[in-house]
Amino acid sequence: AESGGGGRKKPNILVTGTPGTGKTTTSYLLAEATLLRHVNVGDLVRDKNLHDGWDDQLDCHVINEDLVCDELEDMMEEGGNIVDYHGCDFFPERWFDLVAVLQTENSVLYDRLSKRGYTGSKLTNNIECEIFQVLLEEAKDSYPEDIVVALQSDTVDDINRNVTTLTDWVRSWCPKPE
Ligand code: ADP
Ligand code: MN
């Protein structure tokens, strides 16, 4: 019963990576192509108040990981979710059949985050997060190595290729026996 799949009829995919690497764009297009459900965790945290206030230092909500996991549990058990979040170590390992880590070249990411209005330490923290491959390491530490894939996300062509790759993976996924 502990094996991947957990009896779900459709797979769960985690799309993670540094802010600005294209998680939401990729997840949106993947959901369109596969009819899986796009779960934007950042939006969920804001809309359902799954946080413990605002962190002035980091300029973001202090996410309440227990509340987020409780909120998602039933949906994840059912399967068929694309979870979009810039963190991955607090979700139960059993939830995911595939963990895609998006990666973007530093100068490209710098321009994207600047355009988004990031400046100062918020900008440099995120660039450093990407340089040191923090999310890839976090994913490898938190999930079986054979379900973690790194996908380059510098260009629109990259997005299209990644969506095609992930769509093919979804279509060939088979439920695991319970
Ligand atoms: P995230 O959800 O990881 O923060 P978004 O999907 O919101 O990233 O993308 C941030 C911005 O960068 C958006 O304006 C998006 O259009 C652009 N973008 C993201 N990935 C790519 C890519 N591979 N090629 C070109 N533009 C991209
Ligand atoms: Mn996003």
Side-chain angles (χ1 to χ4, degrees):
E2 273 300 296
S3 69
R8 334 180 242 282
K9 304 257 181 318
K10 289 180 193 169
N12 290 321
I13 301 174
L14 176 61
V15 178
T16 191
T18 306
T21 51
K23 298 180 297 297
T24 299
T25 309
T26 302
S27 299
Y28 175 84
L29 293 170
L30 182 61
E32 266 198 336
T34 59
L35 303 180
L36 299 188
R37 183 196 290 121
H38 177 193
V39 182
N40 185 324
V41 174
D43 288 353
L44 192 76
V45 165
R46 204 190 46 226
D47 297 347
K48 301 216 163 182
N49 274 304
L50 310 176
H51 58 79
D52 300 315
W54 187 259
D55 186 329
D56 283 323
Q57 207 81 46
L58 293 177
D59 196 28
C60 62
H61 280 120
V62 183
I63 182 175
N64 185 315
E65 299 175 350
D66 292 335
L67 289 181
V68 169
C69 289
D70 286 350
E71 179 71 29
L72 293 176
E73 177 65 42
D74 289 351
M75 233 193 266
M76 298 305 293
E77 198 169 313
E78 188 185 319
N81 301 287
I82 301 162
V83 175
D84 161 2
Y85 194 59
H86 58 263
C88 65
D89 59 355
F90 63 92
F91 301 120
E93 189 181 336
R94 65 187 153 75
W95 276 3
F96 296 106
D97 302 290
L98 188 71
V99 177
V101 183
L102 302 187
Q103 299 193 296
T104 300
E105 205 268 315
N106 306 320
S107 62
V108 175
L109 186 63
Y110 188 98
D111 290 345
R112 275 188 212 155
L113 292 177
S114 302
K115 251 188 214 146
R116 196 185 253 189
Y118 285 25
T119 55
S121 63
K122 186 162 185 172
L123 178 55
T124 52
N125 284 344
N126 281 302
I127 297 298
E128 278 178 21
C129 176
E130 188 60 10
I131 290 173
F132 293 110
Q133 303 200 316
V134 170
L135 267 307
L136 183 60
E137 291 307 315
E138 189 175 317
K140 285 180 175 172
D141 286 345
S142 308
Y143 299 93
E145 195 121 6
D146 63 322
I147 74 161
V148 177
V149 292
L151 298 172
Q152 200 64 28
S153 178
D154 293 344
T155 64
V156 172
D157 282 350
D158 288 337
I159 292 202
N160 292 333
R161 194 193 55 244
N162 292 338
V163 170
T164 300
T165 302
L166 294 169
T167 301
D168 289 346
W169 180 90
V170 169
R171 295 201 175 133
S172 64
W173 185 83
C174 293
K176 319 278 185 302
E178 277 179 85

